[in-house]
Amino acid sequence: MARDAYVNGRYVPHARAAVHVEDRGFQFADGVYEVVCVRQGRLVDEDGHLDRLGYSLRELRIAWPCGRRVLRLIMRGLLQRNGVRDGLIYIQVTRGAAPRDFRFPAAARPTLVMTTRRLTLAANARTGVRVVTIPDIRWKRRDLKTVGLLAQVLGKQEAAERGAFEAWQVDGDGFVTEGTSSNAWILTADGALVTRPAGHDILNGITRQSILKIAAAEGLRFEERPFSLEEAYAAREAFVSSATSFVTPVLRIDDRIIGDGTPGPLGRRLLDAYLAHASGIGAS
Ligand code: PDD
């Protein structure tokens, strides 16, 4: 089936979809993005993703490319055209195309691009994955979902070369910030679910927020605080979360086996609850 992309007001064949060479996304990574999971035809946590898109745009002083309602219509239009019921939609907004100058252009219209992919998400969520750790070399506004992802590209490549699914980034004090494209979680030896608090240090994952709501609704003990790499090595369970990995158990961090090296009960429980949430069943 022919696949379309959406570029600045038009649906165009994916193979020929393009933006200008002087687009600021291309030249300066001056743009933001969102990845929204599509499950059984539903856009999971759509409002949360659009809220975060608005936050990233506002903080960078990039205008919305169109109204939020129109954006929703375009998303649905593209999914329908491409026949996507399970997969993802990628949305990117840049400050627009203008002659190269670091300063904001006086009159550029934001560029809006959307693409979709049909795929089975969270393929490893039942079996688990390995992560390795790397220093966090990113800038200090990781709360913004910008397309400036070079540190993450290098990190994910290193993970792949070391036989791992993800790399957990570690700050200068020895605390885990997050994965290159996911949030990091542990279940401590004494039974607390721990993840780093939202702030400038990490991207406040939409999946992360849904898991925290699930944990609260289920009366689980959770703590939003930084955790050290040593604490992670000693954890009973560990997970990554994102729109594309849901809640995926981590069985090994570097050369340390986590728990008994198999997916644990809390991971399974959170995954099941998240899948129910993604299908529109139950709380939040
Ligand atoms: N990544 N942290 C980082 C650095 C991320 O890039 C992502 C998402 C997350 C999880 O956020 P969410 O739960 O909203 O997906 C955390 C997306 C999936 C990506 O870049 O492909």
Side-chain angles (χ1 to χ4, degrees):
M1 174 187 198
R3 197 151 57 100
D4 287 342
Y6 175 91
V7 185
N8 286 332
R10 280 190 296 166
Y11 296 103
V12 289
H14 186 269
R16 285 195 283 111
V19 294
H20 197 274
V21 289
E22 293 215 279
D23 193 276
R24 292 177 64 95
F26 179 58
Q27 297 206 324
F28 297 116
D30 189 0
V32 302
Y33 75 107
E34 283 295 329
V35 176
V36 185
C37 156
V38 183
R39 200 173 146 77
Q40 294 149 2
R42 293 184 79 241
L43 285 148
V44 179
D45 291 330
E46 181 181 13
D47 283 329
H49 285 282
L50 293 184
D51 288 348
R52 188 173 62 190
L53 179 65
Y55 174 74
S56 299
L57 290 171
R58 193 165 57 246
E59 290 292 299
L60 295 174
R61 294 195 279 150
I62 299 174
W64 274 84
C66 60
R68 186 164 161 142
R69 206 176 58 83
V70 174
L71 200 73
R72 284 174 182 276
L73 291 175
I74 301 167
M75 290 163 78
R76 282 165 180 71
L78 192 63
L79 289 173
Q80 200 168 26
R81 283 174 103 88
N82 292 344
V84 179
R85 287 195 52 78
D86 288 284
L88 59 83
I89 185 157
Y90 175 85
I91 306 163
Q92 182 173 330
V93 182
T94 76
R95 204 181 300 276
R100 189 173 184 280
D101 183 337
F102 284 78
R103 294 165 295 191
F104 295 174
R109 279 212 325 268
T111 297
L112 171 60
V113 169
M114 280 189 213
T115 54
T116 64
R117 270 173 78 177
R118 253 194 271 182
L119 79 172
T120 307
L121 295 171
N124 303 312
R126 294 286 172 201
T127 48
V129 297
R130 289 166 61 175
V131 306
V132 291
T133 58
I134 56 172
D136 198 332
I137 60 167
R138 296 175 299 164
W139 76 328
K140 293 180 179 164
R141 288 304 305 274
R142 303 159 188 160
D143 55 320
L144 306 177
K145 199 162 173 63
T146 81
V147 295
L149 293 170
L150 197 46
Q152 287 96 317
V153 166
L154 296 176
K156 193 77 98 183
Q157 180 62 23
E158 181 173 337
E161 288 172 4
R162 290 168 63 187
F165 172 79
E166 177 62 297
W168 277 8
Q169 300 165 108
V170 179
D171 71 16
D173 299 319
F175 292 94
V176 173
T177 52
E178 61 183 331
T180 62
S181 65
S182 58
N183 289 114
W185 304 74
I186 56 169
L187 174 67
T188 60
D190 68 346
L193 177 63
V194 180
T195 196
R196 192 163 177 126
H200 288 183
D201 298 340
I202 62 161
L203 185 76
N204 188 2
I206 305 303
T207 319
R208 173 190 179 281
Q209 294 171 45
S210 293
I211 295 168
L212 286 174
K213 279 186 210 151
I214 288 166
E218 302 216 349
L220 299 175
R221 194 178 132 214
F222 64 87
E223 295 169 8
E224 286 182 87
R225 62 164 174 84
F227 60 87
S228 68
L229 185 52
E230 290 310 318
E231 213 178 350
Y233 285 154
R236 221 195 279 173
E237 295 185 37
F239 331 98
V240 297
S241 71
S242 74
T244 51
S245 63
F246 304 168
V247 188
T248 292
V250 172
L251 310 183
R252 216 168 110 172
I253 304 172
D254 296 327
D255 57 358
R256 310 294 183 95
I257 305 284
I258 303 305
D260 66 1
T262 63
L266 181 64
R268 269 198 300 275
R269 181 171 168 190
L270 289 175
L271 175 63
D272 288 340
Y274 181 77
L275 290 174
H277 160 76
S279 306
I281 305 163
S284 57

